[in-house]
Amino acid sequence: MPTDPLTACARCASDPGWLSRGRWLCATALLAATLVGCAGAPARRPVPADLATQAEVPGIPQARIWGDQPPPWVALLAAKSDEELKAMFPASYGKPHNYLAISGGGPDGAYGAGLLNGWTAAGTRPEFTIVTGISTGALIAPFAFLGSKYDHVLTDVYTRNSTKDLVERRAYISAALGDSLADTKLLRAKIAHYVTPEVIEEIAAAHKAGRRLFVGTANLDLARPVIWNLGAIAASGRPEAADLIRDLMLASASIPGAFPPVYVQVEAQGQTYDEMHVDGGTAQQVFLYPMGMDWKRVTQRLQVPGRPHAYIIRNSKLDADWEGVEPWLPKIAGRSVSSLIRTQGIGDMYKLYMGAKRDKLDYNLAFVPASFNVPLKEAFDPTYMRALYDLGYRMAKEGYPWSHVPPGLEAE
C-alpha cells in the first residue's frame, strides 16, 4: 500500500474507476496537500469580493440568478396586468403546467435518458413548462425541453459513448501542476455537436413563448449555487450565446478536480473579470426553483388551472450498496464522498417535496431501483449505461410507477 501522496494519486489515476464514485476528490486533495504553491494553473482575474454579487454577463442581464435566494423578478409579476402576463407567457398562461427536474449522477444519467424516451413511447409524455438540470441532468435538460424530436440525441449520448470518447486523462505531471486530472475537450466537442444553431433557435423560441430551461452550476469563488436561464441566453441575440450555453452545460457537469472548471466572463463596474464555475452537484443535486421562492404566487398570477405536475428524476439509487472498504485513504475518501452525495440527494428530494406541498404541486419522483446490479467497470461504461438506459425505457414505456413522496414517508 503506497504511503507517499503522489504515489497514491498516481495509483488512483491509473485505476479503471479513476473518475467514479468520488475518487476524484481524494486524488485532488492529496495533490493539493503535496503541491501547495505550485504554478501551472491558468492565470485568472476573479471578481473582487465586494463586487461578486453585482457581476453580470455582458449584454445578457437576465442570464442567471442565485440558487439560494428568491429572484427579484417574482415581485415584478404582481405589477403586471393579466393581459401583459398573457402576452409575456403565451405557452404557460392559463394552461396546465408540467415541470421536470433532472438530477446529477454521471453515467447514471442513462436512466433518466431511457425513462424520457420510454415515456415518449408510452404516448403520455407531456410538454414541459419548465425543465431544470444539474450535472449529467444539464446534458439531458435541453433535449428533454425541446421534446421527443431529440430523443435520438439522448440515446446516442448515453448508449454509444465510453470514457475515452468523453474525457482524456492528463499526463501525471500536467495533472499535478494544473487544475484537473482530465481534459474535457472531447466532451465539449460532443456538446457542440448536438447543441446546434437549430437547437439554440428552438430554445429561444420556446423561451419567448413563456417556457423556461434552467441548468445549475456552482460559483466556486463564492461557493454558491447559480441557476442559468438558457432560454434567455439563447433569445439574447448575442453572437456568443451558443458558446455560452455549451460552456454552461459543460460547467454543470465539471466535477471539481477531475474535470477543469469553466470560466465565465462577467463585468462589474465597467471592469471585466472571470468567474470559476464547476459541477452544480457540489451545491445541490436537483432543483425546481430557488430556495424560499413562493411558487404558489407565480402559478396564481399565471392563472394555472388545477395542480401543476412536478416530475423529479433522481439519476441514482436511494439505497447505498454494500462495499468492504479498504483501509486506505483514497478508498475511504471516495466512499465518504459517495455517501455524502447520496444523502445530499435524498435531502434535496425532501426539500422539493416540502416546496411542492407548500405550493400545491403534484409531486412525482423517479429513481434507479435497488435491484439494478450491473457492475460499473469504468467511469463511463457503455455496457452499464446501456443496461441502465434500457431499464429506464422499459419502466416508462410500461407506465412509470412514480413515487408521490420521498423515501421513508408514507403516501397520503
Side-chain angles (χ1 to χ4, degrees):
M1 190 71 65
T3 56
D4 173 68
L6 293 179
T7 305
C9 283
R11 174 170 168 177
C12 190
S14 66
D15 191 299
W18 63 288
L19 283 178
S20 61
R21 308 295 184 191
R23 190 167 298 166
W24 51 271
L25 182 61
C26 72
T28 305
L30 288 168
L31 281 169
T34 307
L35 298 167
V36 171
C38 282
R44 58 178 304 233
R45 192 179 186 216
V47 186
D50 60 333
L51 299 179
T53 59
Q54 304 174 31
E56 292 185 344
V57 176
I60 318 177
Q62 304 302 316
R64 81 285 185 73
I65 56 176
W66 295 110
D68 54 7
Q69 67 182 42
W73 53 259
V74 175
L76 299 178
L77 290 179
K80 299 292 184 181
S81 68
D82 289 343
E83 287 304 313
E84 287 176 315
L85 290 175
K86 189 174 182 179
M88 291 171 63
F89 303 99
S92 54
Y93 184 89
K95 298 179 180 179
H97 280 203
N98 294 283
Y99 312 136
L100 175 66
I102 313 169
S103 84
D108 288 356
Y111 184 71
L115 190 159
L116 285 164
N117 287 4
W119 202 351
T120 297
T124 56
R125 177 173 155 187
E127 178 180 80
F128 298 109
T129 314
I130 296 174
V131 176
T132 73
I134 286 276
S135 196
T136 197
L139 303 181
I140 297 172
F143 307 106
F145 180 70
L146 295 179
S148 58
K149 174 182 177 180
Y150 290 97
D151 282 1
H152 69 281
V153 174
L154 300 182
T155 303
D156 287 350
V157 171
Y158 286 96
T159 68
R160 295 169 187 162
N161 289 286
S162 62
T163 310
K164 64 179 177 58
D165 300 311
L166 301 174
V167 295
E168 210 170 7
R169 208 179 315 188
R170 284 178 168 164
Y172 175 56
I173 295 299
S174 297
L177 299 179
D179 56 7
S180 64
L181 297 173
D183 190 304
T184 51
K185 289 179 182 177
L186 294 175
L187 179 56
R188 176 61 168 74
K190 190 78 66 175
I191 292 170
H193 173 74
Y194 290 114
V195 183
T196 62
E198 179 185 8
V199 167
I200 300 296
E201 290 175 7
E202 291 184 32
I203 291 172
H207 176 82
K208 292 174 182 176
R211 296 170 58 221
R212 293 294 180 261
L213 171 62
F214 301 112
V215 302
T217 66
N219 180 321
L220 208 56
D221 296 316
L222 287 172
R224 293 181 68 183
V226 180
I227 295 175
W228 294 89
N229 188 339
L230 297 195
I233 296 170
S236 69
R238 302 282 295 188
E240 66 273 19
D243 280 336
L244 178 58
I245 288 172
R246 295 164 187 150
D247 285 343
L248 293 172
M249 291 172 64
L250 178 62
S252 186
S254 292
I255 304 167
F259 299 162
V262 173
Y263 298 94
V264 177
Q265 187 178 87
V266 295
E267 289 183 354
Q269 292 190 0
Q271 298 295 311
T272 300
Y273 301 99
D274 63 75
E275 294 176 341
M276 180 186 286
H277 287 264
V278 298
D279 193 329
T282 62
Q284 54 190 348
Q285 291 296 310
V286 63
F287 72 98
L288 267 176
Y289 37 79
M291 291 174 57
M293 188 171 175
D294 185 355
W295 194 257
K296 184 178 178 181
R297 182 182 178 189
V298 173
T299 57
Q300 288 174 340
R301 288 295 289 120
L302 294 178
Q303 297 192 16
V304 178
R307 297 177 68 190
H309 302 285
Y311 298 97
I312 298 97
I313 299 177
R314 177 67 179 120
N315 290 304
S316 175
K317 292 182 181 179
L318 301 189
D319 297 323
D321 292 324
W322 183 90
E323 179 182 336
V325 181
E326 295 179 30
W328 182 41
L329 178 57
K331 295 287 187 179
I332 294 170
R335 182 64 168 174
S336 298
V337 172
S338 293
S339 175
L340 178 63
I341 291 171
R342 184 182 70 84
T343 54
Q344 179 199 30
I346 293 173
D348 286 339
M349 284 183 276
Y350 273 86
K351 182 174 70 177
L352 289 183
Y353 177 72
M354 296 307 295
K357 291 278 286 184
R358 179 198 63 198
D359 296 332
K360 307 300 182 184
L361 309 182
D362 172 42
Y363 179 93
N364 300 274
L365 173 66
F367 51 86
V368 178
S371 59
F372 182 77
N373 59 6
V374 175
L376 180 68
K377 296 183 178 179
E378 59 177 287
F380 299 98
D381 180 350
T383 300
Y384 174 94
M385 291 192 293
R386 181 80 230 194
L388 198 50
Y389 173 94
D390 288 343
L391 175 61
Y393 185 94
R394 288 195 306 271
M395 292 181 70
K397 187 177 180 181
E398 294 168 3
Y400 195 87
W402 296 95
S403 176
H404 300 294
V405 295
L409 288 183
E410 295 294 329
E412 296 181 356

